[in-house]
Structures are given as C-alpha cells and as structure tokens.
Amino acid sequence: MHSAPSSPPPVRGPSDHDVRDQIVEAATEYFGRYGYEKTTVSDLAKAIGFSKAYIYKFFESKQAIGEVICANRLHTIMAAVDEAVGTTASAPEKLRRMFKTLVEAGSELFFNDRKLWDIAATSAGEMWPSARAYDEHVRALVTRIVRDGREAGDFERKTPLDETADAIYLVMRPYVNPLLLQHNLSGAAQATRQLSSLVLRSLAP
Amino acid sequence: MHSAPSSPPPVRGPSDHDVRDQIVEAATEYFGRYGYEKTTVSDLAKAIGFSKAYIYKFFESKQAIGEVICANRLHTIMAAVDEAVGTTASAPEKLRRMFKTLVEAGSELFFNDRKLWDIAATSAGEMWPSARAYDEHVRALVTRIVRDGREAGDFERKTPLDETADAIYLVMRPYVNPLLLQHNLSGAAQATRQLSSLVLRSLAP
C-alpha cells in the first residue's frame, strides 16, 4: 500500500523498509493530532524516540514524509473508485459511481482527519507528485469510461474525445481536488448526483 | 450604485448620505491598501479624520461597511453580465456570455485589488446578504435563459426546469463564488469555454 519514494530506491535490507513504514505510521498519527504545517521533524523525532539524524537517513525532508502519507491516502481513494467502477459494465453507471466514490472517499479520508487535511491541501496547492498522479489517474479513468461508452453506443461521438473528457474532468475537479472540496462539502452528495445527470445529458448520442 | 444598508433607512438629510458615501469611498481605498481583515474601525476613523463614534453613527460595524463595498462590486459585476446577455437574442449565446462575463468581471474586480479580495471571500464564506443576493441573481438569470431557450426550441424540455438550472449553476459556481474562483483563476478562460460547451451539449433538444 505504501507508494515508492520519488528518489531512486536505495539499496537497503527489509528492516530499513520496516523503519520507513514505522516512521510513516508514527508521522500519520502525529500529524493527525498536531497538524502537518505546525510540526517539525524534530517534534516528530522526539515523539517516535528516534534522533532527527536517523529520520533524515530515511526521508530527506518533512515534505518527503508528507508526500508518502498523501500518496497512501490518494491510493486508497483511487482503489475505492476503481473497485466501484469495476463492478458494472454500463458506462453511464461507471461515470456516476466514479464521481460518487471520489467525493465520498475523499471526504472521509481527508475530512474525518481534519488535521491531516492540510497535507492534502498543501499537496494539491503545490502539485506534489502524488497530487499530479492522482489528477492524471482521474483524467485517464474519465477518458476510458467515455471511450467505452462511445464504443457501446451509449455516448455521442461527434465531440473530440479529449474535449469531452477534459470538460467532464473540469466539472468534477471542485469535488476531487482536496483544496476545493473543503468549500464544497455541504450538499456535495446532491451536487454530485445533479452534476452526473448533467454530464450524462451532455453525452447523450 | 450604492446599495441600501440592511437596517431600516434612518430619517436623515441628504448630507448624511454624502457622509455615508464618503466613508464607503475612504474605506474602499483603505481596505484596498491595508486589507479588510487587518483593519479596525479605529484605523479607518483615524485615516479619514473622523471620530470612531461618528463612523458608528452611520455604520453599526466594520462588516456593515464591508457589506456595502462588497454589494457595490457585485452590483457592478451583475450589471456587466446583464449588459453582455442583453445584446443577443440567442439563448445558447446568452449562456456563453453570462459565464464568460461573470468570470472576467469577477476576476478583474476582485483580483486586481488583491487586498479587497478578502472582503469578497469573507462575504462568500459567511454568506452576507450581498453574497446571497448575488447568488440568487445568477441562479435567476440561468433559469430565465434556460426557459427562453426552451421556448425558442433551442433546448430540450424533458428535464424539469429547476433541475436543469440548478445543475448549470453548480457547474458555474466554482468560477462565480470569489472564495472558489481564487483556486480556479489559472486557465479560467479556457475552462469557461469548455464548460459552456458541455452545458450546451447537455441542453441539446
């Protein structure tokens, strides 16, 4: 479940992996309690009982730890979306489930941990690799669903595929990007249904 | 151009109106230079050369002054939108112009005055009367354009009018609400075009 760090994988034994995991786990809990922005690597080291230098052996910065936490959460959301989409063959239904699950899983994973949310916001605001990968995954999934729907005769084919997929992504973006979702949480479930219906009307052959 | 205060109009001579205007004008400049959140009524009074008590004779709070400034700006945006929409008879073109002008005028009026933006954000975040009135004006305009387009045979009539108008408003909201627009400024012009096209496809009869 833990994504690889962005630096090339160092040659380390499995126990080093365990230490990385241990740091990430402790950091998730610590950031979750005291907030990401307010915490320093020193605070974190003290809390885990490691030296600061030892943590820096595994992560080059606080952001590198935050990035792994963020990547893990986004990975969990995408896994939930892929699962929800995978259980139906109908492209219109895939689109509805994709949007619904993105909003539900995103709200739950970031907003039930209010303190962890600032990692997601920083990540989305600064376009960390995890946030970019998440964006690209969502875009690619939209494109695939639209293509499938066109092949099945469910969706119109006049509009260029890229244009259609880009515009649908733009409709979803305020509910997918954690930085924007915070402003759209109230009424998000109903908004998601209404916007899915509008998108499906726009796709009618 | 200046909207009425939300409290019942006091019985005052025309010179009181002039004083109100003078305070609003000075406050617009002062907030624009030092920021709304950071400024107190005392700071403002000192800058204008009035006593704090004298300002409180005309406005019950700093928010009451901010509310008039905000209402004035939103009024200017809506006037620009109404004008842009009024110069065409075609409902699809009205919808495009409405969205485009909302984004352009909104960006210009709030973001060229970065320091004034926090009034708009506070207003949208706390749903001041001016922000609510603006929202309702936008919603009403969307409903009117969709109704006109249906009557002219440009738009489909199967979907309930309210449902269609609500969903279109939701598509526009991230670019209309100043709190959200700040996150969507980059690429807003292209996004507006793509979303207008998607909305128009959804309205096809």
Side-chain angles (χ1 to χ4, degrees):
Chain A
M1 283 293 292
H2 296 286
S3 75
S6 46
S7 50
V11 188
R12 289 199 186 114
S15 72
D16 277 3
H17 277 288
D18 291 351
V19 178
R20 280 185 67 87
D21 284 357
Q22 194 187 338
I23 293 171
V24 168
E25 209 170 294
T28 307
E29 204 193 310
Y30 198 83
F31 292 154
R33 189 169 306 158
Y34 301 103
Y36 170 75
E37 292 293 350
K38 282 184 205 147
T39 300
T40 64
V41 173
S42 296
D43 298 334
L44 190 61
K46 233 174 277 170
I48 313 181
F50 285 169
S51 75
K52 210 169 110 176
Y54 189 66
I55 289 187
Y56 278 122
K57 255 189 70 181
F58 296 92
F59 294 95
E60 63 182 6
S61 63
K62 183 178 85 167
Q63 182 180 325
I65 306 174
E67 170 68 355
V68 174
I69 295 174
C70 198
N72 287 344
R73 301 234 146 186
L74 294 175
H75 185 96
T76 304
I77 298 175
M78 286 316 314
V81 169
D82 290 345
E83 199 196 324
V85 164
T87 52
T88 174
S90 145
E93 186 55 28
K94 272 183 208 278
L95 212 55
R96 280 194 185 278
R97 288 192 193 178
M98 175 187 184
F99 202 178
K100 184 169 184 277
T101 312
L102 274 169
V103 172
E104 284 175 358
S107 311
E108 198 187 307
L109 265 170
F110 284 110
F111 296 96
N112 286 355
D113 277 328
R114 278 304 295 182
K115 291 275 183 193
L116 269 185
W117 176 82
D118 57 357
I119 301 187
T122 308
S123 149
E126 298 176 359
M127 268 309 196
W128 291 0
S130 56
R132 258 205 310 274
Y134 179 63
D135 247 35
E136 276 157 27
H137 190 112
V138 173
R139 268 172 201 273
L141 187 54
V142 170
T143 305
R144 206 164 65 233
I145 295 174
V146 173
R147 191 188 294 121
D148 289 354
R150 287 179 175 209
E151 280 167 14
D154 289 326
F155 298 155
E156 60 97 1
R157 301 173 201 206
K158 276 179 304 182
T159 317
L161 180 63
D162 278 1
E163 194 184 322
T164 300
D166 281 353
I168 295 173
Y169 171 78
L170 282 173
V171 172
M172 291 184 173
R173 189 170 163 268
Y175 301 85
V176 170
N177 181 305
L179 204 56
L180 301 175
L181 180 56
Q182 63 169 325
H183 299 296
N184 294 312
L185 281 175
S186 119
Q190 203 196 341
T192 307
R193 278 194 303 275
Q194 290 180 301
L195 287 170
S196 292
S197 298
L198 183 146
V199 164
L200 290 175
R201 287 195 293 276
S202 81
L203 289 168
Chain B
M1 283 288 293
H2 296 286
S3 76
S6 45
S7 49
V11 187
R12 288 201 186 111
S15 72
D16 277 3
H17 275 289
D18 292 349
V19 177
R20 282 183 67 87
D21 284 358
Q22 193 188 340
I23 293 171
V24 168
E25 210 171 292
T28 306
E29 205 193 308
Y30 197 84
F31 292 154
R33 189 169 305 157
Y34 302 104
Y36 170 76
E37 291 293 351
K38 283 184 205 146
T39 300
T40 64
V41 173
S42 297
D43 298 334
L44 190 60
K46 233 174 277 172
I48 314 181
F50 285 170
S51 74
K52 211 170 108 176
Y54 189 65
I55 290 187
Y56 278 124
K57 254 189 69 181
F58 295 91
F59 293 97
E60 63 182 6
S61 62
K62 183 177 82 166
Q63 181 179 324
I65 306 173
E67 171 67 355
V68 174
I69 295 175
C70 200
N72 287 344
R73 302 234 145 188
L74 295 175
H75 185 97
T76 304
I77 297 175
M78 286 317 312
V81 169
D82 289 345
E83 198 196 326
V85 163
T87 53
T88 175
S90 144
E93 186 56 27
K94 272 182 206 278
L95 212 55
R96 279 194 188 278
R97 289 193 192 175
M98 174 188 184
F99 202 177
K100 184 169 183 278
T101 312
L102 274 169
V103 172
E104 284 174 0
S107 309
E108 198 188 306
L109 264 170
F110 284 111
F111 296 96
N112 287 355
D113 277 329
R114 277 305 294 181
K115 292 274 184 193
L116 269 184
W117 176 81
D118 58 355
I119 300 187
T122 307
S123 148
E126 297 176 358
M127 269 307 196
W128 290 1
S130 56
R132 258 206 309 272
Y134 179 63
D135 248 38
E136 274 157 28
H137 190 112
V138 172
R139 270 172 199 274
L141 187 54
V142 169
T143 305
R144 206 163 67 233
I145 295 174
V146 173
R147 191 188 295 121
D148 289 353
R150 288 179 172 207
E151 279 167 14
D154 289 326
F155 298 156
E156 60 97 1
R157 301 173 201 206
K158 275 179 305 184
T159 317
L161 181 63
D162 277 0
E163 193 184 322
T164 300
D166 281 352
I168 296 173
Y169 171 78
L170 283 174
V171 172
M172 292 184 172
R173 189 170 165 268
Y175 302 86
V176 171
N177 181 304
L179 205 57
L180 300 175
L181 180 56
Q182 62 168 328
H183 299 296
N184 294 312
L185 281 176
S186 119
Q190 202 196 342
T192 307
R193 279 194 302 276
Q194 291 180 299
L195 288 170
S196 292
S197 298
L198 183 146
V199 164
L200 290 176
R201 288 196 291 278
S202 81
L203 290 169

